[in-house]
Amino acid sequence: AQSVTQLGSHVSVSEGALVLLRCNYSSSVPPYLFWYVQYPNQGLQLLLKYTSAATLVKGINGFEAEFKKSETSFHLTKPSAHMSDAAEYFCAVSNPGRRALTFGSGTRLQVQP
Amino acid sequence: KAGVTQTPRYLIKTRGQQVTLSCSPISGHRSVSWYQQTPGQGLQFLFEYFSETQRNKGNFPGRFSGRQFSNSRSEMNVSTLELGDSALYLCASSLAFERGRQETQYFGPGTRLLVL
C-alpha cells in the first residue's frame, strides 16, 4: 500500500519569501510522485512530476521539488512567493503500472502582502 | 487543445435519488479516472476506465459505478444518494498506454454535487 503525508495543513508566508511545502511518501516500490495545485472552485493543475529521471524536478510557475529516497520525501519549494501562489497544494503518489493517484491531505498556502 | 470537460458543473439532489455525471477527456486520451473530493476524506480514487473497461477500482460501495464509451467519454453514476455523497467529483484523463506506462493525469473542473 502507498500513502502520502503532507506536514502542515496551512502554511503562511510573506510575499517574496521562500515557499516550502512538505511531502513524505510510503511506497513498497519506486514511486511516481506529483504535485498538483488547486485554486478555488477549480480542478487540479499539475505543477510537476517525478518519474525516476532527475531527482530535482522543475515545474511551472517557478516551483521545483527534490526527490530524496533516503528521506522518502518530495518537498515542494519556490524561492520567492507571489500573491497568485495562494491556493491548495496536493502531493500524490502512484506506482508503476497503476494510474490511480493516492493524494495527501493537502496544504493551503496563504501569501501575505 | 480543449481540456477535460465535465457536466454538469453543479447539481443538487435529494437522498435516495440517483445521479449521472459526465466527463469528456482531452482529445486522444484513452484513460479516464474519477476521484471524489470531500473536506473530511480529501481526494479519493473511485475508478479508472481504459478502452471501455474498468481497470482499477477504489474502496467505494457498489452504489458508485461508471462506464466508458468508444469515444473515451465516461460517465459515473451514484444510486440511492446519501448525504455523505455530497462532494466535488473530479475526472482526469491521460494518454495511457496498454502496458501502464505512467502518463500525466489532467483534471477537469469537477462537478459539485450537493445531496439534501
Side-chain angles (χ1 to χ4, degrees):
Chain A
Q2 56 196 18
S3 65
V4 176
T5 301
Q6 291 185 240
L7 292 174
S9 58
H10 289 82
V11 170
S12 182
V13 299
S14 299
E15 192 173 18
L18 171 72
V19 175
L20 171 60
L21 305 182
R22 300 178 186 274
C23 171
N24 288 88
Y25 69 90
S26 171
S27 176
S28 57
V29 297
Y32 294 138
L33 294 159
F34 306 81
W35 276 99
Y36 283 88
V37 61
Q38 186 176 35
Y39 297 99
N41 299 315
Q42 293 188 28
L44 301 173
Q45 180 183 8
L46 180 71
L47 282 176
L48 49 81
K49 65 178 181 180
Y50 167 77
T51 56
S52 75
T55 56
L56 182 62
V57 182
K58 293 188 182 298
I60 62 171
N61 301 339
F63 285 94
E64 64 180 37
E66 186 173 7
F67 172 71
K68 292 187 176 180
K69 184 178 178 181
S70 61
E71 299 177 9
T72 61
S73 69
F74 190 58
H75 302 330
L76 182 71
T77 61
K78 181 174 180 178
S80 177
H82 192 271
M83 296 296 290
S84 61
D85 295 327
E88 189 152 23
Y89 292 78
F90 293 92
C91 182
V93 64
S94 72
N95 286 340
R98 289 174 62 88
R99 281 179 281 272
L101 294 169
T102 299
F103 285 90
S105 55
T107 297
R108 187 168 298 278
L109 176 66
Q110 192 175 24
V111 182
Q112 307 281 3
Chain B
K1 203 181 251 190
V4 178
T5 57
Q6 293 186 244
T7 57
R9 291 292 312 276
Y10 303 93
L11 206 48
I12 300 175
K13 292 287 188 179
T14 56
R15 277 182 302 174
Q17 287 187 311
Q18 75 163 13
V19 67
T20 299
L21 311 182
S22 180
C23 171
S24 292
I26 293 171
S27 176
H29 284 195
R30 300 168 61 195
S31 170
V32 173
S33 297
W34 289 88
Y35 294 83
Q36 181 196 63
Q37 185 177 23
T38 61
Q41 300 298 318
L43 279 154
Q44 296 186 88
F45 170 75
L46 278 157
F47 29 64
E48 181 211 351
Y49 285 87
F50 175 75
S51 291
E52 302 177 63
T53 303
Q54 187 180 93
R55 298 303 179 105
N56 223 337
K57 189 177 192 307
N59 189 25
F60 279 82
R63 300 185 297 108
F64 292 81
S65 63
R67 59 178 176 168
Q68 187 180 34
F69 302 95
S70 58
N71 62 358
S72 295
R73 191 177 70 85
S74 176
E75 290 181 346
M76 68 163 281
N77 183 277
V78 188
S79 63
T80 320
L81 284 166
E82 300 177 359
L83 295 179
D85 296 333
S86 295
L88 180 67
Y89 290 89
L90 292 163
C91 167
S93 76
S94 63
L95 278 169
F97 293 86
E98 185 64 45
R99 295 199 177 274
R101 190 179 80 189
Q102 184 55 254
E103 296 289 338
T104 299
Q105 292 192 37
Y106 296 89
F107 284 80
T111 293
R112 188 165 294 282
L113 172 65
L114 176 62
V115 182
L116 301 175

